[in-house]
């Protein structure tokens, strides 16, 4: 991750503007030019995965060219993602950066997730399923906590997020249609029994 070290060094060495500073908004908006440049470079590579679908057999040279173009496209996409993450971090204040860093490091234990998913599905599930559901769960919890933080701000509460803030956040997300309606399961269903 030498690229990330470069980005973190650049972030720490440059003056970071904060909301309220005149240059903050112009810096954030100016980064769009850098992202547009990365997109344009990707288009110039000539890599088009949809164009490949209709073609039949390819020669060794065509395959080599295609693989090189795919590699360049993947590198550019990785660079774009790193740049975007760096831009987002630079626009955050210290409190937001600390919360984001904790969010990035957090994860659900795979054994616990596997147990819950297997119980719901009624069968054993693979690692890919556990990883996908863990990721979705993490995003959901992140949205729930962010909504709870907004509720605390609206109610002029400070300190730690409490269960009443989480319950209100859940209620609001459900009213907005971000949480699907799931009927309550009867105790006789296969994964509600106590074993």
């Amino acid at each position: 991750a030498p690229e990330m070290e470069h980005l973190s060094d650049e972030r720490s060495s440059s003056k970071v503007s904060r909301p309220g500073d005149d240059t903050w908004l112009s810096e954030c908006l100016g980064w769009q030019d850098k992202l547009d440049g990365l997109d344009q470079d990707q288009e110039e590579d000539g890599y088009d995965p949809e164009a490949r679908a209709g073609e039949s057999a390819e020669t060794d040279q065509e395959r080599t060219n295609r693989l090189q173009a795919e590699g360049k496209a993947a590198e550019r996409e990785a660079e774009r993602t790193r740049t975007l993450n760096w831009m987002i971090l630079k626009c955050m204040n210290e409190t937001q950066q600390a919360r984001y860093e904790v969010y990035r490091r957090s994860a659900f234990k795979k054994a616990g997730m596997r147990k819950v998913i297997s119980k719901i599905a009624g069968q054993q599930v693979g690692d890919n399923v556990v990883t996908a559901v863990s990721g979705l769960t993490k995003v959901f919890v992140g949205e729930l906590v962010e909504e709870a933080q907004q509720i605390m701000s609206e109610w002029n509460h400070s300190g730690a997020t409490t269960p009443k803030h989480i319950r209100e956040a859940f209620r609001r997300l459900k009213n907005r249609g971000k949480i699907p309606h799931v009927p309550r399961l009867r105790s006789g269903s296969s994964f509600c029994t106590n074993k």
Side-chain angles (χ1 to χ4, degrees), residues 114-125 190-191 195:
R114 183 182 307 279
K115 186 176 179 181
V116 170
I117 297 166
S118 296
K119 202 166 192 177
I120 291 171
Q123 63 185 13
Q124 292 297 318
V125 293
S190 63
F191 58 93
K195 292 184 179 179

Side-chain angles (χ1 to χ4, degrees), residues 49-161:
E50 294 171 4
R52 302 291 311 161
E55 296 180 15
S56 57
E58 61 184 343
T59 65
D60 288 341
Q61 183 61 40
E62 289 173 336
R63 183 173 185 273
T64 301
N65 291 342
R66 178 179 56 84
L67 291 174
Q68 287 176 346
E70 288 174 0
K72 287 180 183 177
E75 288 173 16
R76 294 212 192 297
E77 184 60 30
E79 175 65 24
R80 186 177 194 281
T81 302
R82 283 191 298 271
T83 303
L84 188 58
N85 286 338
W86 177 74
M87 289 183 226
I88 290 169
L89 280 173
K90 190 167 180 174
C91 289
M92 293 180 182
N93 62 32
E94 285 82 18
T95 305
Q96 291 170 327
Q97 283 181 359
R99 191 169 35 197
Y100 179 71
E101 288 170 9
V102 168
Y103 172 77
R104 287 286 305 255
R105 287 191 305 258
S106 66
F108 290 97
K109 292 184 179 178
K110 288 195 181 233
M113 289 299 292
R114 183 182 307 279
K115 186 176 179 181
V116 170
I117 297 166
S118 296
K119 202 166 192 177
I120 291 171
Q123 63 185 13
Q124 292 297 318
V125 293
D127 288 339
N128 292 341
V129 174
V130 174
T131 302
V133 173
S134 296
L136 291 171
T137 304
K138 182 177 174 177
V139 170
F140 170 71
V141 170
E143 287 182 15
L144 191 65
V145 169
E146 191 63 35
E147 185 72 24
Q149 292 284 323
Q150 290 176 359
I151 290 167
M152 286 179 62
S153 175
E154 289 173 14
W155 293 352
N156 294 323
H157 291 176
S158 60
T161 306

